Amino acid sequence: MGLAERHTEMPVTVLVSRVVKPGCEPAFAEWAEGISREAVRFPGHRGVNVIRTGAAEGRQFVLLFSFARPEDLQAWERSETRRHWLQRVDDLVEGPAHVQALTGLETWFSIPGEPRARPPARYKMAVVTELAIFPLLALLSVSVTPVLATTPLLLRLFVTSAVMVLAMTYLVMPAMARLFRRWLYT
């Protein structure tokens, strides 16, 4: 398999940021719920999150659409269903949407409360990731590894890495991104 083929198998997350007109927040929330329900039905869909940020007096919303492959995202983006839902939102929002596609580690650094035009510098992502991984790995080494001491090595490694990936993705990195937000984005 060539590099180009492997790249198309990478998951992709799209951040869509919208500023809602004053007083239209409840209608926008209903719209976001509706488009999310439709996106879930598309092949390769991996989840939708809707985040209301503190930006624009609390009227900024970020929708995160995640798909297994860029081709799955393209099918959603080209769909008549999506086009229909986008037409329904125009009267509820101010200005155009800010859209950003993420395919790598930068997704860990993309949700500190507001979307960014560009991900942080790679060396900054590496530093913060190391600061997160080292204590988590130490914690897992003294808690999970001893419990699995009698299991085969490959199974022990698989379980430990699975716990680590889930913890990093859903607990540790969102907190680290918020904690280091100023340094990451300067």
Side-chain angles (χ1 to χ4, degrees):
M1 180 183 304
L3 183 60
E5 292 165 320
R6 278 195 301 264
H7 177 71
T8 62
E9 294 179 11
M10 292 178 62
V12 61
T13 299
V14 174
L15 284 79
V16 180
S17 176
R18 303 301 303 251
V19 175
V20 178
K21 291 179 181 175
C24 293
E25 295 89 350
F28 183 85
E30 286 181 33
W31 174 87
E33 186 177 315
I35 196 170
S36 297
R37 270 194 316 270
E38 293 297 329
V40 168
R41 297 178 185 176
F42 275 72
H45 186 269
R46 297 178 67 176
V48 171
N49 289 306
V50 179
I51 301 167
R52 186 174 187 169
T53 74
E57 297 91 37
R59 294 183 294 114
Q60 182 173 14
F61 288 76
V62 178
L63 290 84
L64 296 101
F65 294 89
S66 184
F67 288 86
R69 303 173 311 144
E71 293 82 6
D72 298 327
L73 171 63
Q74 288 175 356
W76 162 248
E77 288 181 335
R78 293 177 181 156
S79 73
E80 188 60 38
T81 302
R82 178 177 173 269
R83 201 172 358 263
H84 166 76
W85 281 92
L86 290 180
Q87 289 172 351
R88 295 177 60 183
V89 77
D90 286 341
D91 293 337
L92 304 175
V93 295
E94 296 176 353
H98 176 268
V99 180
Q100 180 182 3
L102 306 170
T103 58
L105 259 185
E106 68 266 16
T107 58
W108 273 349
F109 298 91
S110 62
I111 316 171
E114 59 186 68
R116 303 290 177 166
R118 295 178 4 177
R122 286 185 179 195
Y123 82 91
K124 290 182 178 184
M125 289 191 292
V127 168
V128 172
T129 302
E130 175 61 21
L131 291 172
I133 285 177
F134 179 75
L136 184 58
L137 185 57
L139 178 66
L140 292 175
S141 295
V142 297
S143 62
V144 175
T145 305
V147 173
L148 301 174
T150 59
T151 61
L153 176 63
L154 289 178
L155 179 60
R156 190 168 53 229
L157 291 172
F158 176 79
V159 170
T160 303
S161 67
V163 170
M164 185 158 195
V165 167
L166 290 171
M168 288 288 292
T169 301
Y170 294 104
L171 301 172
V172 177
M173 289 312 292
M176 294 295 280
R178 280 189 297 276
L179 181 64
F180 289 96
R181 173 176 38 212
R182 287 195 176 145
W183 180 70
L184 284 166
Y185 295 102
T186 57

